[in-house]
Amino acid sequence: MPATSQNLYFHLGMHADDDGVVEAYPVMCSIGASEDDLRVIISKGFATLLNSDMVTFLNDWLENNNIRADRKVDSIYKELLLEIVPDAMLKESKPSYYSRVKSICQTNDGQVSGKCLANVRIGKYRLDKESKDNKLCASDAAPKASKADIDEFFEKIWKLYPNKKGKGQISASKKKALFEIGYDELSRAIKRYTNDLSKDEWRKPQNGSTFFNSGYVDYLDANYTEPVTECEEEGDRSIYQDSDEYEKLWKELGYK
């Protein structure tokens, strides 16, 4: 494959979810790849296009990637994947033992403990005493946003997006994640995305479900880079304006 297609395949693998499904278009934009690069990957049998939004399945994902079943998160496109590629090899996720035992706390590094230990300072600590205000596990008394607040927020942000399809495919957990990002940043992400679309008349906005499930990520403040506008040079800057002079030099170099 061409080097550009190989590069795109590498980045698709880096952005794919636990089932090997990835939204190819945002990845292509971020690395400057073309649709021809994606077509090469598909024609070689390394990937399968699932829909017109360029949601793509990496055919050899399970052979090259392994994840514990109790840590695997099913793709939001799992139903679509099985519809287009019914014989796709997928690892079934299952809850871990620790997720069923509420008395066991999982720490930030994925290890488990019989109780939630406090963050401690080096030099002054006691293992038998927990901090009351600095625990790794959130307290039950911590303030939480209500479902009504999150739903109201989502309705406002949904109205800003141009393609209002797939609203029912946005899960409650995803709405909460969007709520935590905030209205201002998400509205900027939508504006950046629509501005990018306006540069090419043939491009249409993704379904709302696609954008709000993962498409917005590349347009957040921390991930987005403003495109640099290149100015075209005016006139011919060639140092050889005279065709006879150019011909003479060509002969001196031994090419004629």
Side-chain angles (χ1 to χ4, degrees):
M1 290 193 299
T4 52
S5 296
Q6 295 179 44
N7 182 50
L8 175 59
Y9 184 70
F10 169 80
H11 283 278
L12 290 176
M14 293 293 292
H15 287 79
D17 59 27
D18 292 348
D19 282 321
V21 180
V22 56
E23 294 177 353
Y25 186 76
V27 179
M28 292 163 59
C29 289
S30 67
I31 66 172
S34 67
E35 290 188 31
D36 287 337
D37 294 324
L38 181 61
R39 291 192 186 99
V40 171
I41 294 172
I42 294 172
S43 66
K44 295 292 185 180
F46 292 112
T48 300
L49 194 66
L50 301 182
N51 64 12
S52 58
D53 287 332
M54 294 189 185
V55 176
T56 306
F57 171 60
L58 304 181
N59 299 334
D60 299 325
W61 175 258
L62 198 58
E63 294 182 19
N64 301 320
N65 297 273
N66 190 24
I67 186 171
R68 279 174 35 179
D70 60 346
R71 293 189 177 183
K72 185 213 175 221
V73 178
D74 287 344
S75 172
I76 60 173
Y77 297 107
K78 186 174 182 180
E79 292 184 3
L80 173 64
L81 170 60
L82 293 177
E83 179 183 345
I84 305 300
V85 189
D87 57 345
M89 295 180 61
L90 305 178
K91 173 169 283 190
E92 292 297 326
S93 60
K94 65 179 181 180
S96 68
Y97 165 75
Y98 301 108
S99 67
R100 300 192 297 269
V101 182
K102 295 183 179 179
S103 61
I104 295 179
C105 173
Q106 188 168 17
T107 61
N108 291 342
D109 62 357
Q111 304 302 314
V112 293
S113 172
K115 62 180 180 179
C116 300
L117 296 178
N119 287 335
V120 295
R121 293 186 303 170
I122 297 176
K124 292 183 179 181
Y125 63 91
R126 288 180 59 188
L127 296 179
D128 60 343
K129 184 177 181 180
E130 293 182 299
S131 169
K132 294 181 180 180
D133 57 357
N134 193 26
K135 293 184 179 180
L136 293 178
C137 296
S139 168
D140 293 336
K144 299 178 181 178
S146 67
K147 183 178 183 301
D149 291 338
I150 294 174
D151 288 342
E152 181 181 359
F153 166 83
F154 181 72
E155 289 298 327
K156 290 181 180 178
I157 207 69
W158 181 263
K159 290 180 180 179
L160 299 179
Y161 192 72
N163 187 349
K164 297 174 174 56
K165 291 183 179 180
K167 186 176 182 180
Q169 298 178 31
I170 313 296
S171 66
S173 60
K174 175 53 70 174
K175 290 179 181 178
K176 183 179 179 182
L178 295 171
F179 179 84
E180 292 173 351
I181 294 172
Y183 181 89
D184 290 342
E185 185 165 1
L186 281 175
S187 60
R188 286 195 295 271
I190 293 173
K191 185 175 181 180
R192 290 164 178 162
Y193 175 62
T194 53
N195 285 342
D196 278 355
L197 290 179
S198 65
K199 297 174 184 177
D200 300 301
E201 296 182 358
W202 59 269
R203 288 177 57 192
K204 304 298 180 183
Q206 301 172 334
N207 289 347
S209 57
T210 302
F211 182 82
F212 284 110
N213 272 310
S214 60
Y216 68 90
V217 174
D218 288 331
Y219 295 92
L220 295 178
D221 294 347
N223 304 328
Y224 186 75
T225 302
E226 292 290 344
V228 178
T229 303
E230 295 183 359
C231 299
E232 295 183 0
E233 293 187 359
E234 297 182 0
D236 184 5
R237 302 297 181 89
S238 172
I239 63 172
Y240 297 109
Q241 300 289 344
D242 191 332
S243 59
D244 292 336
E245 184 181 354
Y246 178 80
E247 188 76 15
K248 180 181 178 182
L249 175 63
W250 199 248
K251 291 181 180 179
E252 291 175 356
L253 292 174
Y255 290 103
K256 286 194 177 182

